[in-house]
Amino acid sequence: MSTAITYSRYGGPDVLTLTEVATPEPGPGQVRIKVRAASVNPLDLKIRSGLMADMVPARFPVTPGLDAAGVVDAVGQGADAAVGDEVLGAAVGGSYGEYALLERPVAKPGALSWEVAASLVTVGETAFRVLGQLGVRAGQTLLIHGAAGSVGGIAVQLAAARGITVIGTVGEHDIERVTALGAAAVRYGDGWAERVKAAAPGGVDFVFDASGAGVLADSVALTGDSAHVITIADMSAAQHGVRFSAGSAGQGGDSLPELVRLAAAGKLTVPIWRTYPLAEAAQAHADLEAHRNQGKAVLLP
């Protein structure tokens, strides 16, 4: 037996409890890791609240968590890792626990901290996936809403490195930080569209909405084509003819090894805002729901 965070009904952060559970056993192609870090993603909160029940139906009790990094302590048949390896990847059956199962584990370079390693998976693969779905190319202009967030910040860096002109909407306190990542940062809120037009006099080719802040109608107007706008956060996407991009961690093909290489080489940064003991997972969720964070929240079992 081991301990993990679980919940048995949808609700607020208070439904998360530290529970004794059966230690998971790896199946074919899987590895079990002793978790050193598990990141907290906004999607975890949406799933826990029931907001994603139609897309991600729960089988209670649920152990939340999409990403983890740790040390392999058991391997399934055909697994691509050995006991003692330091790895990261997408968790199968949750990552908020002492142990987690990973499929397609990726080796963790020594240059990466456990916190950053655990924080790359979902946000990095999401940013990589959406840029590919948009098809934005060097020389074009991309607007990213929520550019100061974990997904938006990685998307800014990946796009800028590809020669794409990036405009990012952010809060006043994030302008300097997002500018340093490679975007022309403009303040969100009333009048944001006019500020974007001033920052991109040649026009905006594509929009990546990572904010869910009700910006889709004006974003479509900016590009002139709803097919040039994608959101990962606004459930009203279909009303605007906009694609809602959703995918599970681990579905990013070969993107995670590339993201790991970039991060280890110092070419991709993932800001870590705060770490929490496993037992304080509910507080981590509450902090993210209150938008207190400026970077990733990470659990350290």
Side-chain angles (χ1 to χ4, degrees):
M1 302 293 286
S2 58
T3 57
I5 296 293
T6 66
Y7 60 96
S8 296
R9 59 183 174 85
Y10 293 126
D14 60 298
V15 302
L16 300 175
T17 59
L18 189 64
T19 312
E20 189 172 82
V21 298
T23 301
E25 295 296 332
Q30 297 178 340
V31 302
R32 184 178 69 204
I33 62 168
K34 185 75 167 64
V35 177
R36 296 292 298 273
S39 69
V40 180
N41 289 291
L43 185 57
D44 299 344
L45 282 60
K46 293 178 181 178
I47 294 172
R48 184 217 69 227
S49 71
L51 186 62
M52 304 287 289
D54 290 342
M55 300 175 67
V56 188
R59 296 180 61 185
F60 298 118
V62 173
T63 296
L66 305 170
D67 319 323
V71 180
V72 176
D73 86 324
V75 298
Q77 184 177 3
D80 190 20
V83 171
D85 286 353
E86 297 184 348
V87 298
L88 64 139
V92 179
S95 63
Y96 292 16
E98 289 184 85
Y99 295 91
L101 301 179
L102 303 184
E103 290 181 340
R104 300 174 64 193
V106 174
K108 184 190 84 67
L112 279 190
S113 69
W114 290 110
E115 293 88 347
V116 169
S119 297
L120 271 173
V121 187
T122 293
V123 295
E125 291 189 339
T126 299
F128 198 100
R129 180 186 74 241
V130 172
L131 291 178
Q133 290 172 335
L134 283 171
V136 59
R137 302 184 303 276
Q140 295 182 313
T141 297
L142 170 67
L143 170 62
I144 299 176
H145 293 295
S150 297
V151 174
I154 290 180
V156 167
Q157 295 173 78
L158 292 175
R162 298 174 184 180
I164 296 162
T165 298
V166 184
I167 313 294
T169 60
V170 299
E172 188 75 38
H173 58 284
D174 285 316
I175 287 177
E176 185 175 341
R177 179 168 65 88
V178 171
T179 298
L181 295 179
V186 302
R187 182 171 52 83
Y188 64 64
D190 291 345
W192 69 262
E194 294 306 314
R195 291 189 287 276
V196 167
K197 290 176 184 177
V204 171
D205 298 300
F206 295 93
V207 176
F208 177 0
D209 171 36
S211 72
V215 295
L216 296 184
D218 286 338
S219 294
V220 171
L222 275 175
T223 64
D225 187 344
S226 61
H228 286 197
V229 181
I230 288 182
T231 183
I232 60 169
D234 193 328
M235 304 303 288
S236 72
Q239 298 174 27
H240 303 279
V242 169
R243 283 177 288 173
F244 186 97
S245 179
S248 300
Q251 292 183 342
D254 296 328
S255 64
L256 186 55
E258 179 176 341
L259 292 162
V260 168
R261 286 193 296 271
L262 291 170
K267 297 179 179 179
L268 183 66
T269 62
V270 183
I272 305 300
W273 173 66
R274 182 177 169 185
T275 61
Y276 302 77
L278 182 63
E280 295 181 13
Q283 184 61 54
H285 276 223
D287 286 343
L288 264 65
E289 286 191 343
H291 303 290
R292 299 188 183 103
N293 62 303
Q294 294 183 32
K296 292 290 291 186
V298 181
L299 302 177
L300 304 179

